[in-house]
Amino acid sequence: MDHLQRDIQRCPRVAVYGTLKQGCHNHYWLDGATLLGRDRLTALTLYDLGPYPGAKAEVSTGAVVEVYAINTEQLALLDQLEGYFAHAPLQGLYNRAIFPTLHGEAWCYLYNAETKNDTLIEDGEW
């Protein structure tokens, strides 16, 4: 079994907080995925990176996310978009981890590089 099949069996949902949300320019990457609902994750902090946000696993007032049910093919596409490398997760642009949401546990992409405090998105909505 490859890593994508294993990962989707472990958690068939993703929580998105930036350009993948409804109405944003990368939402089409989630074509065929089912929106389960929204949540505010207090285990995440969002940073404004210019053209897109990045999340860190840091406690905050909450990052607003949309949670989707996805399949293996959709996870593969999201890994490609987010620059996630299963063989070296800390070397890509993003890593991913599972977080609890109101709609079940969901994968969330975490920004690997350093962030500056002046780019903090205090209200958690990008």
Side-chain angles (χ1 to χ4, degrees):
M1 177 185 322
D2 73 11
H3 78 277
L4 288 166
Q5 289 174 321
R6 181 192 67 234
D7 288 353
I8 214 68
Q9 283 181 355
R10 184 173 165 208
C11 183
R13 289 170 293 281
V14 65
V16 301
Y17 51 82
T19 65
L20 288 163
K21 289 168 71 175
Q22 288 180 327
C24 294
H25 69 276
N26 279 327
H27 183 69
Y28 71 92
W29 287 77
L30 286 168
D31 282 351
T34 302
L35 175 63
L36 301 175
R38 292 168 53 96
D39 197 0
R40 180 177 284 273
L41 304 185
T42 57
L44 291 180
T45 298
L46 291 186
Y47 293 90
D48 188 342
L49 305 176
Y52 52 86
K56 294 283 196 175
E58 301 166 352
V59 174
S60 72
T61 57
V64 176
V65 298
E66 293 175 354
V67 181
Y68 290 85
I70 59 170
N71 61 33
T72 306
E73 293 77 24
Q74 290 160 332
L75 184 60
L77 286 172
L78 294 175
D79 283 355
Q80 178 185 344
L81 173 68
E82 303 291 7
Y84 169 74
F85 304 133
H87 61 283
L90 296 177
Q91 292 178 13
L93 184 59
Y94 285 84
N95 191 359
R96 61 175 155 81
I98 295 173
F99 289 86
T101 80
L102 293 173
H103 312 284
E105 291 187 327
W107 290 106
C108 191
Y109 288 88
L110 301 173
Y111 188 61
N112 274 331
E114 291 299 314
T115 53
K116 299 185 194 91
N117 282 336
D118 60 349
T119 63
L120 177 68
I121 301 173
E122 291 190 32
D123 67 1
E125 180 83 67
W126 187 86

